Amino acid sequence: MTDGSGDSYLSQLADEMEAVQLSAGESVLGHAAEMLSDHKAEAWELRFLGHRLCEALRDALRVAESRGGRLYAPADGSDDEPDGSPPPAGRSS
């Protein structure tokens, strides 16, 4: 739990970790494009790539969920959306 200002040590640490995860995902995606264009890639290499892509996607989804939660978190602690609308799909209030 952070103080809500975005300036806390925990907030900064989370932002840094998210940046590392997204950067790693970009790197894996670049390798994937290269490997998939190489028609000589072995099956084990493609399976390894598939596992790394799954990890990168899992991290990216975790970052998106975390950032989305911060965007929609009411400042007053209530469960209502800021504009009174229902929460986005996949998110319960």
Side-chain angles (χ1 to χ4, degrees):
M1 185 66 102
T2 65
D3 64 4
S5 70
D7 295 332
S8 72
Y9 173 76
L10 188 56
S11 290
Q12 292 173 8
L13 187 62
D15 289 343
E16 290 173 18
M17 179 55 80
E18 289 173 353
V20 167
Q21 289 173 321
L22 293 176
S23 177
E26 285 183 73
S27 178
V28 170
L29 188 58
H31 290 299
E34 290 175 26
M35 187 175 287
L36 292 172
S37 67
D38 178 6
H39 298 287
K40 295 180 182 179
E42 300 284 334
W44 69 268
E45 292 173 304
L46 295 173
R47 279 193 301 275
F48 181 82
L49 173 64
H51 287 288
R52 300 300 75 82
L53 287 169
C54 286
E55 289 173 355
L57 179 57
R58 192 176 303 113
D59 288 343
L61 291 172
R62 189 177 302 124
V63 168
E65 184 176 319
S66 172
R67 290 183 181 182
R70 284 184 261 164
L71 288 175
Y72 293 107
D76 64 359
S78 69
D79 287 340
D80 294 333
E81 292 300 311
D83 62 359
S85 63
R91 187 177 152 259
S92 59
S93 45

